[in-house]
Amino acid sequence: MNWSAVKSIYVYEMTRFFRTIAQSLISPVVSTSLYFVVFGAAIGSRMQEIEGVSYGAFIVPGLIMLTVMTQSISNASFGIYFPKFIGTFYELLSAPVNFIEIVMGYAGAAATKAFLIGLIILGTSFLFVDITIAHPLAMLAFLVLTCLSFALFGFILGIWADNFEQLQLIPLLVITPLIFLGGSFYSITMLPPVWQTISLFNPVVYLISGFRWAFFGMSDVPVVTSLFAIAVFFAICLGFVGWIFRTGWRIRQ
Amino acid sequence: MTTILDVQNLRKTYAGGFEALKNINLQIEEGEILALLGPNGAGKTTLISAICGITTPSAGSISVAGHDIVTDFRAARKAIGLVPQEIALEPFEKVINTVRFSRGLFGKGRRDDFVENLLRRLSLWDKRDNRIRELSGGMKRRVLIAKALAHEPRVLFLDEPTAGVDVELRKDMWDIVADLKKEGVTIILTTHYIEEAEAIADRVGVISKGEILLVQEKAKLMEQMGKKELEVQLAAPISDVPESLRSHALRVGEDGHSLIYTYDTTRERTGITKLLNDVAAEGLSLRDVMTRQSSLEDIFVSLLKEDAA
Ligand SMILES: Nc1ncnc2c1ncn2[C@@H]1O[C@H](COP(=O)(O)OP(=O)(O)OP(=O)(O)O)[C@@H](O)[C@H]1O
Ligand SMILES: [Mg+2]
């Protein structure tokens, strides 16, 4: 392993993040606060408690997940697409690194950024609602796993994309709907039975449910199923990355 | 001398079916400077890309410093520095950070004194904290060189280092190359400028349509292929080569004021004495006599013509 290379990529990417730290943090914090104002205060006051949790508090895990997933994907996909776009990718190709090291550097940095943003949103939400976290360690574990899996997914997206439109299309058309329909703002038990069944095909449901369990000890699906789901998603992304590594897909002519 | 780069039967066919390299064989000795000359689209960049791991060869084998570029890619790539043809740099990054990044990427630990020294030599030290986008084109090219040298490679590839660079900077670049050679770095550069090859290379390779037409020591090449011309300037113009001089390889120069004799410097007898005697016997009065050696450019052009024929 060329750990020096992994570290270099990671540090370089994190430096970029900290260089634009204001932009990187302000937008997620502002939009989360807006969600709290709209859903928590305005609508939430008319909503009944869900299994003993106020609606304002209930949406916190979903909000964090929403941001963390989109941030992981956009950071990682942009991180690896950018060198391709401006042509500096040649250096990675000519360096004594293998694909795994490149992934660790880029996806690792993207996951770290998303994780930090997730923690900041959690901090922000304490300003709006009272929450106690039932299983703090499980909460962190879910958060880390989600950041990593979605960063891997974003990395694949960035390798695949040929232009900026493609880079934004997939998150917009696929990921955002899955996240919104994944129970970020509601419990899927609130849906009619048909939609409950359909929802079970949405992988994001499992992630949000598991994450919510870590907060409140309640979940739409058993927490073991959630863990299993995220492990499967992680494994699929990892397998795909491994395949890219072997075939050089979209990397070397 | 040891062979530092060994390319054997290298072929590259691009996805569209275009054969950019056809059976390339090339051996380079440690410490030499090789200039690869070739017209646009000859395959110079493709050859470099294959050696540096940017494109995958379709057939053949390459080893750098004794390491196969596939089975032992880490050791091979650590020995290589690459300055690409196109300027590709992250515009918002600081000069010093991008150079440090390159060093780390190639597995070398951080060494500020080394990086400082490198930047000073490339006249970039004053610009170390500037963002790339604040640099001129020539400076950017030097940043690329600094990045390529950041991990102390043994072989440096310069893909058209002086394309679009003014005369002064070109001289600068040649000085840098000469310095590196003194330190024992092997340099392979591609260029369209014959003067460049003539000025700095030890050996010259000519590549055209994916084939290496020749690789020769520069001096030997010019000697072997180098025909010399003797120009005899005449006081009074003539219209044709006089009857008595027809046995010599002569032609009449422009506007009839000179006779031009082409001869081979490597021959035992150049035939100059006899020619001048015959000219005197013919009664022509001479104004001046001069000789010219053909440049690499002439050689290059004649090689490409032969190849096209
Ligand atoms: N990615 C690619 N896909 C298909 N064909 C390519 C690709 N890259 C280069 N070629 C073709 O291969 C040939 C050699 O290109 P290459 O870039 O190696 O030439 P070059 O000698 O470096 O030319 P120049 O002096 O213009 O830089 C050209 O005909 C080019 O069109
Ligand atoms: Mg080229």
Side-chain angles (χ1 to χ4, degrees):
Chain A
M1 282 298 275
N2 181 350
W3 287 109
S4 160
V6 177
K7 187 181 141 207
S8 293
I9 297 173
Y10 184 87
V11 169
Y12 197 75
E13 285 296 298
M14 291 310 286
T15 314
R16 201 214 310 277
F17 175 68
F18 286 114
R19 193 162 64 218
T20 54
I21 182 110
Q23 295 161 44
S24 307
L25 291 184
I26 279 179
S27 98
V29 168
V30 166
S31 58
T32 313
S33 305
L34 286 175
Y35 277 119
F36 275 121
V37 171
V38 174
F39 287 101
I43 298 176
S45 58
R46 291 161 187 254
M47 300 274 288
Q48 64 205 92
E49 291 190 343
I50 300 170
E51 296 183 41
V53 179
S54 78
Y55 186 69
F58 178 84
I59 62 170
V60 170
L63 269 182
I64 294 175
M65 276 289 176
L66 175 73
T67 314
V68 155
M69 286 172 185
T70 44
Q71 286 286 329
S72 298
I73 291 176
S74 68
N75 284 328
S77 61
F78 187 78
I80 193 65
Y81 180 75
F82 192 56
K84 286 205 312 182
F85 180 69
I86 62 171
T88 54
F89 203 59
Y90 82 90
E91 199 178 18
L92 290 173
L93 292 179
S94 65
V97 294
N98 67 23
F99 195 62
I100 302 302
E101 288 146 3
I102 297 179
V103 172
M104 283 168 65
Y106 280 100
T112 309
K113 295 175 208 174
F115 181 76
L116 291 178
I117 291 173
L119 290 187
I120 298 235
I121 293 177
L122 180 61
T124 313
S125 62
F126 284 128
L127 303 177
F128 293 90
V129 286
D130 269 342
I131 15 176
T132 43
I133 301 167
H135 311 283
L137 281 183
M139 189 277 288
L140 286 177
F142 264 110
L143 198 59
V144 169
L145 267 175
T146 307
C147 290
L148 282 176
S149 330
F150 279 73
L152 276 183
F153 181 84
F155 186 88
I156 296 167
L157 187 67
I159 290 279
W160 166 78
D162 280 329
N163 52 51
F164 278 104
E165 284 72 32
Q166 288 179 343
L167 208 57
Q168 286 170 344
L169 205 64
I170 298 289
L172 201 69
L173 283 187
V174 182
I175 304 300
T176 311
L178 284 183
I179 294 174
F180 270 89
L181 301 176
S184 300
F185 301 109
Y186 55 86
S187 161
I188 60 166
T189 53
M190 295 154 88
L191 296 172
V194 184
W195 285 102
Q196 283 190 33
T197 314
I198 292 174
S199 292
L200 291 180
F201 289 98
N202 179 355
V204 177
V205 166
Y206 299 89
L207 306 185
I208 293 180
S209 163
F211 196 48
R212 192 170 281 141
W213 169 85
F215 275 81
F216 309 121
M218 58 152 173
S219 56
D220 291 341
V221 292
V223 71
V224 181
T225 318
S226 291
L227 262 180
F228 183 71
I230 190 157
V232 166
F233 183 64
F234 188 69
I236 290 175
C237 290
L238 212 56
F240 202 77
V241 162
W243 177 78
I244 295 178
F245 170 59
R246 279 195 308 281
T247 58
W249 179 72
R250 297 245 174 189
I251 297 177
R252 283 194 172 86
Q253 296 117 350
Chain B
M1 285 244 248
T2 49
T3 301
I4 193 144
L5 172 67
D6 189 9
V7 179
Q8 303 264 357
N9 307 319
L10 175 68
R11 286 169 194 280
K12 174 65 189 181
T13 308
Y14 279 111
F18 180 78
E19 198 177 19
L21 296 176
K22 306 163 185 164
N23 203 34
I24 300 274
N25 284 286
L26 184 64
Q27 281 74 39
I28 309 236
E29 303 298 319
E30 176 139 40
E32 72 169 327
I33 301 181
L34 178 94
L36 261 186
L37 281 168
N40 287 127
K44 302 181 294 296
T45 301
T46 306
L47 175 59
I48 291 180
S49 301
I51 297 168
C52 297
I54 291 163
T55 59
T56 318
S58 312
S61 67
I62 301 169
S63 70
V64 182
H67 307 286
D68 185 271
I69 61 154
V70 179
T71 55
D72 197 4
F73 76 98
R74 287 191 203 267
R77 290 185 194 172
K78 275 187 187 172
I80 300 178
L82 166 65
V83 180
Q85 181 172 358
E86 312 279 340
I87 292 181
L89 288 163
E90 208 169 304
F92 303 105
E93 197 49 77
K94 281 186 185 167
V95 171
I96 194 158
N97 286 347
T98 178
V99 175
R100 279 189 189 134
F101 170 76
S102 298
R103 186 174 166 86
L105 190 65
F106 278 74
K108 288 265 181 176
R110 183 168 163 169
R111 256 191 61 191
D112 288 343
D113 56 334
F114 176 83
V115 171
E116 171 171 349
N117 204 355
L118 181 61
L119 291 180
R120 280 189 192 282
R121 271 177 48 194
L122 293 165
S123 318
L124 286 169
W125 182 245
D126 294 340
K127 299 280 179 188
R128 64 190 178 278
D129 287 324
N130 284 69
R131 312 240 174 250
I132 304 284
R133 63 173 174 160
E134 299 159 2
L135 303 183
S136 74
M139 290 173 190
K140 285 182 192 155
R141 212 166 268 281
R142 276 180 284 163
V143 173
L144 285 178
I145 297 180
K147 279 167 76 73
L149 291 173
H151 64 282
E152 305 163 53
R154 289 169 66 188
V155 187
L156 181 68
F157 288 90
L158 293 160
D159 199 351
E160 293 187 34
T162 55
V165 159
D166 70 18
V167 180
E168 197 173 331
L169 199 63
R170 189 179 303 172
K171 291 268 153 48
D172 268 9
M173 206 71 86
W174 293 355
D175 288 344
I176 292 167
V177 169
D179 269 3
L180 289 170
K181 183 188 158 72
K182 270 186 218 136
E183 288 166 27
V185 179
T186 309
I187 294 156
I188 293 130
L189 62 95
T190 71
T191 178
H192 292 185
Y193 302 112
I194 322 275
E195 321 90 78
E196 190 154 285
E198 223 165 333
I200 55 178
D202 299 315
R203 284 202 299 161
V204 176
V206 177
I207 180 170
S208 169
K209 298 189 196 126
E211 285 177 292
I212 293 200
L213 302 182
L214 106 173
V215 182
Q216 270 284 8
E217 265 167 46
K218 182 182 61 182
K220 218 181 257 171
L221 178 68
M222 294 182 42
E223 201 178 291
Q224 270 182 17
M225 308 271 310
K227 297 216 168 61
K228 242 180 162 174
E229 281 183 346
L230 175 77
E231 183 173 345
V232 181
Q233 291 192 347
L234 305 170
I238 52 167
S239 57
D240 203 0
V241 179
E243 193 60 45
S244 67
L245 299 176
R246 289 275 160 87
S247 61
H248 300 281
L250 276 180
R251 64 190 154 91
V252 178
E254 263 175 80
D255 67 26
H257 271 286
S258 63
L259 283 168
I260 296 165
Y261 176 62
T262 312
Y263 63 100
D264 197 332
T265 48
T266 54
R267 287 265 186 80
E268 188 98 357
R269 307 174 63 96
T270 55
I272 294 177
T273 318
K274 180 153 191 319
L275 172 75
L276 290 181
N277 281 336
D278 290 354
V279 169
E282 177 68 28
L284 296 172
S285 80
L286 312 185
R287 243 189 39 209
D288 199 359
V289 174
M290 53 189 172
T291 63
R292 265 197 303 268
Q293 179 131 33
S294 45
S295 66
L296 253 181
E297 174 137 25
D298 305 328
I299 301 170
F300 179 59
V301 169
S302 73
L303 260 176
L304 289 184
K305 267 196 200 132
E306 260 170 52
D307 185 49

